[in-house]
Amino acid sequence: QVYPVESGGGSVQAGGSLRLSCAAGRASSNNAMGWFRQTPGLERDFVSSISWRGDATNYADSVKGRFTISRDRSKNTVYLQMNDLKPEDTAVYYCAVARSSYGGSLQSSYQYWGQGTQVTVSP
């Protein structure tokens, strides 16, 4: 009920697309949402976030122009459309619920985290 649940991960060749979904709990209906990713052995990195109202979004430089974050408040669901995927995008993708209505790029700004969904992009 509190923790988000990610889905939509999978394997794709470079240049392909995937859409990740994040089903947020009721407690997150007034909060910003974010996507992070983590490559095995490396730190968890910011990918994208969207404000509660959906009017403010931000992206990591590495995905800007290729990824699009959106949310459907009626379904309490956040999406991450990933186009032109690159092998460097391979990671476990995590959806997170922010502490406020904005969010941002810092992990400390988020309070609830999903278990992650694997995205693998082959050359």
Side-chain angles (χ1 to χ4, degrees), residues 12-17 37 61-67 82-91 93 119-123:
V12 65
Q13 291 186 333
S17 299
R37 65 187 182 186
D61 289 340
S62 59
V63 306
K64 192 172 299 182
R66 299 187 297 118
F67 291 10
M82 305 184 295
N83 297 325
D84 191 24
L85 284 163
K86 305 177 184 297
E88 305 92 274
D89 297 319
T90 295
Y93 283 70
V119 172
T120 302
V121 184
S122 61

Side-chain angles (χ1 to χ4, degrees), residues 13-37:
Q13 291 186 333
S17 299
L18 286 172
R19 188 182 74 163
L20 305 183
S21 298
C22 174
R26 293 179 179 178
S28 64
S29 62
N30 294 326
N31 300 71
M33 302 290 292
W35 287 96
F36 291 76
R37 65 187 182 186

Side-chain angles (χ1 to χ4, degrees), residues 2-7 21-25 28 33 75-78 95:
V2 175
Y3 297 94
V5 180
E6 307 95 335
S7 63
S21 298
C22 174
S28 64
M33 302 290 292
K75 297 181 179 180
N76 202 21
T77 301
V78 176
C95 180

